[in-house]
Amino acid sequence: MTTRRNRISTVEQLMQANLVPASSANHLEQVAAKYSVAISPAMQAAMLAEDGTSVSRQFVPTELELVHHPSELSDPIGDSSHSPVPGMTHRYPDRALLMPLLVCPVYCRFCFRREVVGQDTGLLSREALGRAFDYIRSQPGIWEVILTGGDPGILSPKRLNYILAELERIEHVQNLRIHTRVPVVAPEHVTKEFCDALVRNTPVWVVIHVNSAEELSGEAKEALAMMNRCGIPLLSQTVLLRGVNDTAEQLESLFRELVRNRVRPYYLHQLDLASGTGHFRVPIEEGQALMRQLRGNVSGLCLPQYMLDIPGGRGKVPIDVGMIERMQDAWIVESPLGGRHQYIEPSPW
């Protein structure tokens, strides 16, 4: 896994870097005890830029994380209830998630897995990976396997190559996907060996999590260019966040910059109902209004789908148009897996 050298990972280090005041130490120690802290050197540098607030807000902990809304959940998208074997989630008929580790180079303050990532490595052993591969072999309907976590991008090229090679040997798995922040938050990890591990006969799509144009440093763009030169198709996913990207101008800047770097915007996620994330929440109606402002003003190539992950593992639905309606104090959404479900949205901060 990539080095942890020079990461900020304690409240004391946050204070030494002048990222938090000493007066907040007691509250932040409570936050750090529950939700892991890590800020990579690349993101530390981005915080010093002119518009670094959009980066700082994503990674610097705040005592607001101790505020819990009754509708917030420890497992907002139902990972655990759809886990047939350790390290796997299987919600959709044709695709499954494989989580080979539970650590990241940075810890987002809004992460939907924030209660399980970072507490230990969560690194699946060779035996546990074998059981996951056996499960995938037993399910001929699984067409696609998505590596997530934690961040699979910090696996060593050797281990990443092993996992992808084993998945390639399963005949009915026809597509592979990797969800990662590494090219942006730890671009030094994108090496020739890393890229070589991703170049395979079975298509490997890399989906990069990025929320603001300020995260796309020169080094990040070089990492993306290296992946592009190797023929690795790149998509992006973004979480709609208060104070980070909740204006049409911020989203437009991000999506245009991604396309300039040959990354196709894929999903704009409505924030999941993870505990202690209320200060980030943008109401759905505001998100829909933002999408209306963008639509027609930017190339369709720059427009992701605006998505809601229905709590409890009932699947994702697009919510910028159709499949969602207001009914009294709740939203009613239609699941792609069948049925209509109530979604009660917390009041914004």
Side-chain angles (χ1 to χ4, degrees), residues 10 18 20 36 99 101 110 114 119 121 167 201 206 214 229 236 244 253 271 274 279 290 297 320 326:
T10 67
N18 294 317
V20 298
S36 296
M99 291 169 271
L101 79 172
F110 49 87
R114 65 201 315 251
Q119 303 305 315
T121 65
L167 292 170
N201 292 325
V206 174
E214 289 69 37
R229 287 194 294 269
S236 73
V244 174
S253 176
L271 181 66
H279 52 294
L290 289 171
N297 290 322
D320 52 342
R326 190 81 185 193

Side-chain angles (χ1 to χ4, degrees), residues 44-56 214:
Q44 293 172 49
M47 290 175 188
L48 299 175
E50 184 178 350
D51 296 318
T53 303
S54 64
V55 181
S56 300
E214 289 69 37

Side-chain angles (χ1 to χ4, degrees), residues 241-304:
L241 299 167
R242 176 72 69 200
V244 174
N245 56 18
D246 56 339
T247 70
E249 292 76 17
Q250 288 168 319
L251 290 174
E252 179 178 338
S253 176
L254 170 61
F255 299 150
R256 287 190 188 278
E257 194 63 19
L258 285 167
V259 171
R260 279 178 55 84
N261 286 276
R262 298 178 175 87
V263 181
R264 172 69 162 94
Y266 179 44
Y267 279 164
L268 174 65
H269 292 281
Q270 179 67 14
L271 181 66
D272 293 310
L273 298 178
S275 297
T277 61
H279 52 294
F280 283 111
R281 191 156 289 116
V282 177
I284 287 173
E285 288 172 332
E286 286 188 28
Q288 291 173 322
L290 289 171
M291 291 301 295
R292 283 195 296 271
Q293 289 179 63
L294 291 173
R295 195 172 302 280
N297 290 322
V298 299
S299 164
L301 199 60
C302 298
L303 283 178

Side-chain angles (χ1 to χ4, degrees), residues 21-330:
S23 59
S24 65
N26 288 338
H27 284 116
L28 293 183
E29 290 289 0
Q30 295 178 54
V31 173
K34 188 171 185 180
Y35 308 121
S36 296
V37 175
I39 306 173
S40 67
M43 291 300 94
Q44 293 172 49
M47 290 175 188
L48 299 175
E50 184 178 350
D51 296 318
T53 303
S54 64
V55 181
S56 300
R57 188 162 164 80
Q58 295 182 60
F59 304 117
V60 176
T62 168
E63 59 193 63
L64 293 174
E65 295 176 53
L66 298 173
V67 180
H68 174 75
H69 189 279
S71 66
E72 293 175 344
L73 306 167
S74 60
D75 182 12
I77 66 169
D79 278 338
S80 60
S81 59
H82 292 81
S83 180
V85 296
M88 285 207 67
T89 297
H90 190 189
R91 281 193 297 267
Y92 296 94
D94 74 331
R95 77 215 83 143
L97 303 181
L98 175 60
M99 291 169 271
L101 79 172
L102 290 175
V103 292
C104 303
V106 295
Y107 291 111
C108 305
R109 310 320 304 166
F110 49 87
C111 177
F112 63 87
R113 292 195 180 110
R114 65 201 315 251
E115 299 202 17
V116 296
V117 296
Q119 303 305 315
D120 57 49
T121 65
L123 187 66
L124 287 185
S125 66
R126 184 68 69 100
E127 293 73 22
L129 279 170
R131 287 190 287 274
F133 297 145
D134 286 342
Y135 175 79
I136 296 168
R137 289 187 192 97
S138 74
Q139 302 292 316
I142 295 178
W143 176 82
E144 178 181 45
V145 175
I146 302 163
L147 299 189
T148 181
D151 194 327
I154 64 172
L155 292 170
S156 69
K158 181 178 179 181
R159 191 171 184 85
L160 188 57
N161 181 72
Y162 163 71
I163 292 171
L164 295 175
E166 288 296 311
L167 292 170
E168 269 195 310
R169 293 189 180 99
I170 302 174
E171 186 175 353
H172 55 265
V173 175
Q174 297 293 302
N175 200 61
L176 300 169
R177 207 189 317 168
I178 297 176
H179 287 186
T180 180
R181 257 193 181 276
V182 158
V184 172
V185 304
E188 69 278 2
H189 194 68
V190 178
T191 61
K192 181 180 184 301
E193 292 75 19
F194 175 84
C195 292
D196 287 347
L198 302 180
V199 177
R200 322 201 67 87
N201 292 325
T202 300
V204 177
W205 297 71
V206 174
V207 184
I208 297 157
H209 177 181
V210 56
N211 298 313
S212 67
E214 289 69 37
E215 296 165 62
L216 294 170
S217 65
E219 292 79 7
K221 292 174 183 178
E222 278 298 314
L224 297 174
M226 180 184 295
M227 297 173 76
N228 270 298
R229 287 194 294 269
C230 291
I232 300 164
L234 301 176
L235 304 172
S236 73
Q237 54 183 349
T238 295
V239 182
L240 183 59
L241 299 167
R242 176 72 69 200
V244 174
N245 56 18
D246 56 339
T247 70
E249 292 76 17
Q250 288 168 319
L251 290 174
E252 179 178 338
S253 176
L254 170 61
F255 299 150
R256 287 190 188 278
E257 194 63 19
L258 285 167
V259 171
R260 279 178 55 84
N261 286 276
R262 298 178 175 87
V263 181
R264 172 69 162 94
Y266 179 44
Y267 279 164
L268 174 65
H269 292 281
Q270 179 67 14
L271 181 66
D272 293 310
L273 298 178
S275 297
T277 61
H279 52 294
F280 283 111
R281 191 156 289 116
V282 177
I284 287 173
E285 288 172 332
E286 286 188 28
Q288 291 173 322
L290 289 171
M291 291 301 295
R292 283 195 296 271
Q293 289 179 63
L294 291 173
R295 195 172 302 280
N297 290 322
V298 299
S299 164
L301 199 60
C302 298
L303 283 178
Q305 280 193 295
Y306 181 30
M307 304 295 289
L308 169 72
D309 215 328
I310 305 171
R314 296 183 175 92
K316 293 185 181 71
V317 290
I319 55 175
D320 52 342
V321 289
M323 296 186 77
I324 184 166
E325 62 182 85
R326 190 81 185 193
M327 186 173 289
Q328 296 180 342
D329 296 326

